[in-house]
Amino acid sequence: MQETFRAGNITPPLYNPDLRTVDWDNRRRPVTERGTDFTEEPSVINPSLELGVFAKISKKLFGA
């Protein structure tokens, strides 16, 4: 599947373990124990609300 995405110059979907979501094409879908939940509408990812690099580092270091 990765080869198909690369051949078409398409960014593959990425699993976000912190939020338990799949992020793809500026959209976010929840993940259940059975996989991606397609019953809900995807939410639009707003970059201004996302955690920054330093917040992620702080979370890993201090658990905050």
Side-chain angles (χ1 to χ4, degrees):
M1 184 179 269
Q2 293 291 340
E3 298 300 324
T4 306
F5 286 121
R6 288 188 186 126
N9 247 357
I10 301 171
T11 307
L14 298 173
Y15 176 65
N16 185 336
D18 294 333
L19 300 175
R20 293 188 41 90
T21 60
V22 172
D23 301 345
W24 188 31
D25 196 25
N26 201 35
R27 301 276 190 261
R28 181 170 283 150
R29 285 190 181 270
V31 174
T32 65
E33 58 276 346
R34 298 188 69 200
T36 305
D37 185 6
F38 290 101
T39 60
E40 292 187 30
E41 287 294 316
S43 58
V44 176
I45 298 172
N46 184 346
S48 66
L49 299 176
E50 295 295 306
L51 290 176
V53 172
F54 295 110
K56 290 179 183 177
I57 293 170
S58 173
K59 183 178 179 184
K60 291 216 183 249
L61 289 175
F62 306 112

